């Protein structure tokens, strides 16, 4: 039994190595965010060509203070209620179909939207950006540091 | 007659399990990056281990599933499948308990989140794997 299993494992390694040579093969060494990765680095690792641009904390603060953009919270409604960027609207990614119209009511397609989520452990802002782009929104940005970065900077969270 | 019928139903169960494993390996072999992303989302493995697992595991599924269908090395194959299912179910349970939003990120929409419902469905596959494994072990000692 052990011999058979070992043989299958060796075969799998071999096939995997060969698969690397074919189109869209994956490198053995991956680049994934850890707790020490900065928001901008993590954003670069997790996004692809055509995704909304990155916004850092300083820019997010400026946009919020000057009311130059609408903040969109991609987390669950419960997380949103527990504390969000002041003035942000709730648009939970997993409830996109049922909440989109209400959440984005009155916003033209070219409104500046800043999407955020639960920091570098959460990609829902990226997924939301891809979906909103499909719906036709043209001015999307991602504040990838998200709610934790906002809170840790000592900024006011609205409840 | 009776023995021959039960022999056939065991073969059918074994092939069903092999088929499930084989089928579920296909998209992972086709899109290793998406599968690696899925593994990353569980936040269980150290980052250096993510890609090697994403490269090897789908083939292990493919080969052991194929072995069950063909009836070759069924003991080793069923043991590996049981081990993979146990690992997978533990990972999903731990993610659900930690309250992680496990979305695979494999499709543009982020895919469906793992839930206790999908956990229950996969538990049936785990049971099937356990039954087939025990049968293959017993057969070997007869």
């Amino acid at each position: 039994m052990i011999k058979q299993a070992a043989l299958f494992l060796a075969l799998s390694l071999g096939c995997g190595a060969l698969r690397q040579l074919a189109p869209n093969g994956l490198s053995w060494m991956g680049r994934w965010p850890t707790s020490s990765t900065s928001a901008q680095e993590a954003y670069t690792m997790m996004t692809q060509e055509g995704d909304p641009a990155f916004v850092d904390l300083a820019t997010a603060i400026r946009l919020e203070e000057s009311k130059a953009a609408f903040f969109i919270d991609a987390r669950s409604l419960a997380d949103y209620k527990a504390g969000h960027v002041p003035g942000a609207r709730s648009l939970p990614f997993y409830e996109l179909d049922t909440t989109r119209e209400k959440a984005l009511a009155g916003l033209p397609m070219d409104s500046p939207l800043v999407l955020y989520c639960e920091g570098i452990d959460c990609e829902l802002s990226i997924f939301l950006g891809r979906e909103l782009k499909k719906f036709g929104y043209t001015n999307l940005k991602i504040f990838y540091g998200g709610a934790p970065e906002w809170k840790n900077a000592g900024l006011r969270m609205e409840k | 007659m009776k023995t021959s019928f039960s022999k056939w139903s065991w073969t059918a169960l074994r092939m069903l399990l092999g088929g499930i494993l084989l089928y579920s390996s296909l998209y992972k072999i086709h899109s290793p990056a998406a599968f690696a992303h899925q593994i990353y989302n569980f936040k269980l493995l150290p980052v250096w281990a993510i890609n090697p697992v994403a490269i090897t595991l789908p083939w292990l599924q493919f080969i052991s599933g194929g072995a069950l269908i063909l009836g070759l090395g069924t003991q080793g194959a069923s043991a590996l499948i049981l081990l993979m299912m146990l690992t997978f179910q533990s990972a999903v349970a731990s993610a659900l308990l930690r309250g992680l939003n496990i979305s695979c990120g494999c499709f543009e929409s982020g895919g469906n989140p793992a839930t206790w419902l999908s956990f229950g469905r996969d538990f049936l596959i785990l049971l099937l794997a356990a039954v087939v494994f025990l049968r293959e072990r017993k057969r070997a000692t007869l």
Side-chain angles (χ1 to χ4, degrees), chain A residues 1 4 8 11-13 15-16 19-20 24 26-28 30 32-34 46 48 93-94 121 123 127 130-131 134, chain B residues 29-30 32 36-37 40-41 43 47 50-52 55-56 59-60 63 67 73 75-77 80 103 105 108-109:
Chain A
M1 186 176 76
Q4 290 172 354
F8 290 149
L11 274 175
S12 305
L13 272 167
C15 288
R19 170 68 182 83
Q20 298 309 93
N24 70 37
L26 190 67
S27 80
W28 290 93
W32 301 99
T34 63
M46 307 315 277
Q48 57 200 37
F93 176 73
Y94 288 125
D121 274 344
E123 297 164 76
F127 299 154
R130 288 171 193 166
E131 292 301 313
K134 280 191 222 158
Chain B
I29 289 173
H30 178 261
H37 204 141
Y40 161 77
N41 280 344
K43 310 262 161 46
V47 287
I50 292 175
N51 284 23
I55 289 167
T56 312
W59 287 103
L60 200 58
I63 290 170
Q75 277 187 70
L80 282 171
S103 65
E108 286 295 285
S109 63

Side-chain angles (χ1 to χ4, degrees), chain A residues 28-47:
Chain A
W28 290 93
M29 278 294 296
R31 293 186 70 238
W32 301 99
T34 63
S35 54
S36 59
T37 310
S38 78
Q40 180 145 24
E41 282 173 322
Y43 165 86
T44 310
M45 291 173 184
M46 307 315 277
T47 45

Side-chain angles (χ1 to χ4, degrees), chain A residues 2 16 31 33 37 40 47 50 55 75 82 84 87 98-99 110 115-116:
Chain A
I2 303 284
R31 293 186 70 238
T37 310
Q40 180 145 24
T47 45
V55 164
R75 302 173 300 165
H84 52 263
T98 51
T99 55
D110 60 351
L115 318 173
Y116 74 91

Side-chain angles (χ1 to χ4, degrees), chain A residues 27-86:
Chain A
S27 80
W28 290 93
M29 278 294 296
R31 293 186 70 238
W32 301 99
T34 63
S35 54
S36 59
T37 310
S38 78
Q40 180 145 24
E41 282 173 322
Y43 165 86
T44 310
M45 291 173 184
M46 307 315 277
T47 45
Q48 57 200 37
E49 193 80 19
D51 282 337
F54 175 83
V55 164
D56 64 9
L57 179 65
T59 312
I61 293 172
R62 190 167 51 71
L63 291 172
E64 193 271 322
E65 279 175 350
S66 60
K67 304 281 175 244
F70 298 94
F71 282 72
I72 307 288
D73 192 318
R75 302 173 300 165
S76 69
L77 187 60
D79 287 341
Y80 173 83
K81 282 183 173 164
H84 52 263
V85 172

